[in-house]
Amino acid sequence: MNLAELNKIATAMVAPGKGILAADESGGTIKKRFDAIGVDSTEASRRDYRELLFRSTKAMADRISGVILFDETIRQKAEDGTPLVKVIEQAGSIPGIKVDKGAKPLAFSPGETITEGLDGLRERLIEYRDLGAKFCKWRAVIDIGPGIPSYNCISANVHALARYAALCQEQGLVPIVEPEVLMDGDHDIDRCYQVTELVLKLLYEQLYFARVQLEGTVLKPNMVVPGKKCPKQVSEAEIAEKTLQVLKACVPVAVPGIAFLSGGQCDVEATARLDAMNKIGNVPWRLSFSYGRALQAAPQKTWSGKTQNKQAAQAAFAHRAEMNGLATLGQWKPELEKKAA
Ligand code: 5MM
């Protein structure tokens, strides 16, 4: 393992003013997103849509440090025959790949899941590296509900994350480590804090046991928020403060950067909360984004599968990328949202 090289990539992934585009929706998820805008999910429509994003040249160069791809996309070519990986690199961004095989029901644990994909992972990583990936992503899903999460669910998931991360580093790839505590449910912010704290404590213990070098990793956590159905929603300031508090209590200084997931927050909320954290600052890691929905909801809706909407969709994507880029610097202002995308 070349730790200096891994650290260089990880640091570039959370460069100031930039963040990661999570475009790694699996077949089922992208179909759901396309259904919502009335578009058939075919190999060609998925390619056209993703090419549109990756060819948003200025946004990609200025604001998108890396792109997480799905297995199909890393093998696809743009309309003119250029591999999409090359399109991303030419735009000055780093290609990465989702390598987990999804969250499956955890035996004897109703309502809980375990993320699968470790079998044969070393061989798949070698192939992805040859296809141009420089980093990987694995997402563990922890739900909050009556009686859950169980210790069994958390420990199984963080153990898998640690095995995944070690394999990535062995193959010269930076692991994004994503333990997502879901924001579905009616729990309050303090319950989200408690669960996130336990997950992160156990995660860093397992990463240590697995001999993962934290300098060559990026953490992709949830923010500490109340469940969507919780009657007591809270201010942006409280979310920023509690998220920073739990991260300071759990995440070692050796980690170069933290790139939040958006998790179903609306796009402006995800930007405002990231910005609020960076305005507080005074943390040892870069605080950035690795957003899927919060970067793509607007361009997807604007595109709606129509070629004539392509430019407007690229403008909508560029706008969200710009807003989030500013949020990584603590320089976002609500007034900037009024500027039409
Ligand atoms: C883009 O969505 C990713 C893939 O999801 P599926 O495996 O369910 O298709 C997802 O892992 C995503 O990278 C993270 O959840 C962050 O995305 P959000 O939308 O929460 O920012």
Side-chain angles (χ1 to χ4, degrees):
M1 177 180 49
N2 181 343
L3 185 57
E5 186 55 29
L6 289 175
N7 178 254
K8 202 170 135 200
I9 298 167
T11 305
M13 287 161 67
V14 290
K18 293 188 178 191
I20 298 166
L21 165 63
D24 58 315
E25 297 86 354
S26 52
T29 305
I30 195 75
K31 183 176 177 328
K32 227 184 336 174
R33 306 272 183 268
F34 278 15
D35 283 349
I37 53 168
V39 175
D40 259 1
S41 180
T42 63
E43 192 179 340
S45 65
R46 294 191 289 271
R47 194 276 313 271
D48 289 350
Y49 166 65
R50 286 167 170 152
E51 184 178 350
L52 164 169
L53 297 177
F54 309 157
R55 288 210 190 268
S56 305
T57 324
K58 189 167 175 347
M60 290 286 292
D62 295 349
R63 297 303 187 190
I64 301 298
S65 57
V67 182
I68 314 174
L69 301 167
F70 185 56
D71 180 81
E72 175 186 81
T73 326
I74 200 170
R75 302 168 195 283
Q76 273 177 325
K77 293 196 164 80
E79 214 180 348
D80 66 2
T82 314
L84 288 179
V85 167
K86 284 276 162 294
V87 173
I88 292 167
E89 283 170 351
Q90 282 161 6
S93 191
I94 310 170
I97 179 82
K98 182 237 290 296
V99 301
D100 68 67
K101 295 226 166 192
K104 307 285 161 61
L106 180 65
F108 302 125
S109 306
E112 298 193 292
T113 60
I114 174 72
T115 300
E116 296 188 348
L118 288 170
D119 289 353
L121 181 57
R122 180 178 280 120
E123 291 70 28
R124 290 196 291 125
L125 293 178
I126 294 168
E127 192 195 0
Y128 288 139
R129 196 186 54 206
D130 292 345
L131 286 166
K134 296 280 185 285
F135 68 89
C136 299
K137 189 201 91 173
W138 178 291
R139 171 174 173 252
V141 183
I142 310 292
D143 206 352
I144 301 181
I148 63 168
S150 64
Y151 176 77
N152 182 41
C153 171
I154 298 174
S155 64
N157 273 291
V158 295
H159 184 253
L161 271 168
R163 283 187 60 196
Y164 139 82
L167 279 165
C168 288
Q169 291 196 332
E170 181 196 77
Q171 295 308 322
L173 293 157
V174 170
I176 294 185
V177 177
E178 179 180 4
E180 176 172 7
V181 176
L182 295 178
M183 55 183 279
D184 306 333
D186 60 5
H187 55 273
D188 64 13
I189 190 169
D190 295 328
R191 178 85 180 118
C192 178
Y193 184 104
Q194 274 173 357
V195 173
T196 303
E197 181 179 39
L198 178 58
V199 168
L200 292 175
K201 290 275 183 205
L202 294 176
L203 171 67
Y204 281 100
E205 182 182 57
Q206 287 301 315
L207 290 171
Y208 172 67
F209 291 151
R211 303 181 181 169
V212 172
Q213 301 294 304
L214 299 182
E215 295 83 350
T217 65
V218 170
L219 175 68
K220 177 167 173 169
N222 53 284
M223 295 182 196
V224 174
V225 292
K228 272 191 239 158
K229 291 181 239 147
C230 176
K232 196 177 161 232
Q233 293 299 317
V234 302
S235 67
E236 206 164 84
E238 185 172 347
I239 289 169
E241 196 187 297
K242 289 196 167 147
T243 304
L244 289 182
Q245 192 186 338
V246 82
L247 293 173
K248 282 184 188 167
C250 302
V251 183
V253 175
V255 173
I258 297 177
F260 292 99
L261 58 92
S262 57
Q265 305 174 57
C266 85
D267 47 14
V268 177
E269 261 172 12
T271 305
R273 292 165 179 178
L274 175 62
D275 181 70
M277 282 186 256
N278 276 307
K279 282 197 164 86
I280 298 170
N282 197 25
V283 289
W285 341 266
R286 298 253 3 121
L287 296 178
S288 180
F289 59 91
S290 173
Y291 292 161
R293 285 162 285 182
L295 275 173
Q296 294 189 62
Q300 254 163 29
K301 206 164 161 223
T302 309
W303 173 61
S304 288
K306 300 199 174 71
T307 319
Q308 66 268 30
N309 295 338
K310 193 178 134 188
Q311 272 194 343
Q314 287 180 320
F317 173 58
H319 179 68
R320 287 267 47 90
E322 179 69 16
M323 295 298 98
N324 286 306
L326 291 173
T328 69
L329 304 168
Q331 289 173 5
W332 173 83
K333 293 186 197 109
E335 306 87 86
L336 296 172
E337 292 293 341
K338 289 187 198 116
K339 246 175 68 185

